[in-house]
């Protein structure tokens, strides 16, 4: 029986649904494109339908839509100040997209686009390049004083400045790997536990009762994964606003 | 030593990163609890920071896990 069980990594395989090759490029509509499109559709339905019949006293759906909006708006205001609110649409879009990709990935037989580093890295690079462009536009070359923290004695600068530059350059890597690793690890863990259930259950007789433990494990891990899915989307939004705060306000922190 | 064996040992060593993540998560929740018990009124306002710290800390351990996967599957 064991050889019929799919490996824990098989869930991450990208399968083309509508093959499409232009020149040397593989532009196929794959399962990852499908689930990203579904996430966008989910966000659109959640927000537009929720606010379609906006009432002064909101119903359940409307208050959920309003609460997510308020929640991210407060986060941005806290971390990047009033000036950062100009970038609220960007941060809210990133948050909702990542959140819905993560949550839809928890549906059985679905696919998690955010479990692929190229997806999260593209999002992180978007943030990184936005920060550099905004910083250079607002402060010009003065933006590079970001690498020189205030109140540091002069003889320490040759050490501090390279460290600051390296930590700045590693931001897109840590931002993308954090999200991708969380999704990858969680989904792998679920599938490993599922393998235990199947192999124990197939043992036959009284031994099959051993399947109940990993099954309870799956339930617990699934609950944890819901927390992680929301938390990682939130962390992505918070870090984006903290990075944007560097570009907007340079040294003054909120 | 066979290259295959070294690969598995390396992957096992890479997952030791979870040791640090465990210590870190314990630190965060432990310190939050001791702070919250001293000043329960301020505890609720710090829930966001608590979860943020937890998520950042957990991710550090997962970097090691990703390294293990990279070693195993490339």
């Amino acid at each position: 029986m064991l050889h019929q069980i799919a490996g824990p990594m098989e869930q991450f395989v990208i399968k083309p649904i509508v093959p499409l090759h232009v020149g040397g490029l593989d532009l196929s509509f794959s399962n990852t494109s499908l689930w990203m499109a579904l996430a966008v559709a989910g966000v659109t339905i959640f927000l537009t339908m929720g606010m379609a019949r906006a009432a002064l006293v909101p119903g359940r759906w409307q208050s959920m839509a309003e609460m997510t909006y308020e929640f991210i708006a407060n986060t941005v205001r806290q971390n990047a100040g009033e000036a950062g609110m100009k970038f609220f649409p960007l941060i809210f879009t990133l948050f909702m997209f990542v959140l819905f990709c993560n949550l839809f990935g928890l549906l059985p037989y679905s696919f998690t686009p955010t479990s692929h580093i190229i997806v999260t890295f593209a999002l992180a690079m978007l943030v990184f390049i936005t920060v550099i462009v905004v910083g250079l536009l607002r402060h010009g070359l003065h933006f590079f004083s970001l690498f020189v923290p205030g109140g540091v004695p002069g003889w320490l600068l040759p050490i501090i400045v390279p460290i600051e530059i390296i930590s700045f350059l590693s931001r897109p890597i840590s931002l993308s790997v954090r999200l991708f690793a969380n999704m990858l690890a969680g989904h792998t863990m679920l599938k490993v536990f599922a393998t235990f259930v199947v192999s124990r259950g197939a043992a036959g007789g009284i031994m099959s009762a051993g399947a109940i433990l990993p099954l309870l494990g799956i339930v617990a891990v699934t609950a944890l994964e819901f927390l992680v899915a929301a938390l990682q989307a939130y962390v992505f939004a918070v870090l984006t606003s903290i990075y944007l705060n560097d570009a907007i306000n340079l040294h003054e922190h909120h | 030593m066979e290259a295959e064996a070294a690969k598995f040992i390396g992957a096992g060593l890479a997952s030791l990163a979870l040791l640090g993540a465990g210590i870190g998560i314990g630190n965060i929740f432990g310190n939050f609890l001791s702070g919250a018990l001293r000043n329960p009124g301020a505890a609720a306002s710090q829930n966001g920071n608590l979860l943020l710290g937890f998520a950042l800390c957990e991710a550090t351990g997962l970097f090691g896990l990703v390294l293990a996967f990279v070693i195993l599957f490339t």
Side-chain angles (χ1 to χ4, degrees):
Chain A
M1 287 298 278
L2 210 63
H3 61 274
Q4 290 176 355
I5 303 170
M9 303 308 276
E10 227 155 279
Q11 56 180 321
F12 302 118
V13 175
I14 295 177
K15 300 184 196 92
I17 297 172
V18 184
L20 183 67
H21 294 271
V22 180
L25 288 172
D26 184 1
L27 298 179
S28 310
F29 189 81
S30 57
N31 49 359
T32 176
S33 337
L34 173 69
W35 283 96
M36 276 193 261
L38 282 178
V40 172
V43 176
T44 315
I45 290 171
F46 174 66
L47 289 176
T48 53
M49 299 272 282
M51 300 306 289
R53 271 171 289 116
L56 196 61
V57 180
R60 260 173 261 168
W61 195 345
Q62 192 192 336
S63 39
M64 278 205 310
E66 282 176 359
M67 269 161 64
T68 37
Y69 182 98
E70 279 292 315
F71 180 60
I72 296 302
N74 284 336
T75 307
V76 176
R77 213 172 279 130
Q78 253 174 36
N79 290 305
E82 267 320 312
M85 283 306 279
K86 220 172 17 171
F87 298 94
F88 171 72
L90 170 74
I91 297 168
F92 191 57
T93 310
L94 281 172
F95 172 77
M96 290 307 266
F97 180 68
V98 171
L99 179 70
F100 272 68
C101 280
N102 291 353
L103 288 179
F104 281 3
L106 284 168
L107 296 171
Y109 297 103
S110 72
F111 182 88
T112 326
T114 41
S115 66
H116 280 264
I117 191 160
I118 190 64
V119 175
T120 58
F121 189 70
L123 295 177
M125 272 319 263
L126 173 74
V127 172
F128 185 65
I129 292 170
T130 310
V131 166
I132 293 179
V133 170
V134 169
L136 286 178
L137 283 183
R138 276 183 85 102
H139 302 285
L141 289 178
H142 194 62
F143 173 60
F144 292 106
S145 73
L146 184 69
F147 302 129
V148 189
V152 175
W155 57 271
L156 259 180
L157 284 181
I159 311 167
I160 291 286
V161 171
I163 292 176
E164 287 284 325
I165 292 175
I166 291 170
S167 89
F168 183 79
L169 290 179
S170 60
R171 275 176 182 183
I173 300 167
S174 67
L175 193 59
S176 58
V177 172
R178 181 175 299 115
L179 177 57
F180 138 82
N182 269 288
M183 290 301 117
L184 181 84
H187 285 257
T188 313
M189 194 151 63
L190 280 177
K191 296 302 187 290
V192 168
F193 275 107
T195 318
F196 291 160
V197 174
V198 174
S199 61
R200 282 291 88 206
I206 191 77
M207 292 292 279
S208 293
I212 198 83
L213 269 180
L215 188 64
L216 290 176
I218 292 184
V219 175
V221 170
T222 308
L224 179 72
E225 280 312 299
F226 272 103
L227 173 73
V228 167
L231 211 51
Q232 287 305 319
Y234 173 62
V235 167
F236 202 94
V238 169
L239 288 176
T240 304
S241 44
I242 289 174
Y243 294 162
L244 276 169
N245 177 52
D246 280 348
I248 298 165
N249 300 316
L250 222 50
H251 282 300
E252 38 177 307
H253 285 278
H254 283 269
Chain B
M1 203 190 323
E2 283 177 50
E4 192 71 2
K7 219 173 165 181
F8 285 130
I9 294 173
L13 286 177
S15 57
L16 281 181
L18 293 166
L19 200 75
I23 295 172
I25 294 172
N27 249 330
I28 289 167
F29 281 100
N31 284 333
F32 174 76
L33 267 183
S34 66
L37 287 175
R38 275 166 213 268
N39 188 0
S45 65
Q46 294 307 313
N47 267 336
N49 284 338
L50 173 73
L51 289 177
L52 183 66
F54 158 74
L56 291 178
C57 193
E58 190 204 23
T60 322
L62 293 178
F63 288 172
L65 193 79
V66 169
L67 264 187
F69 278 137
V70 169
I71 292 170
L72 280 181
F73 295 109
T74 51

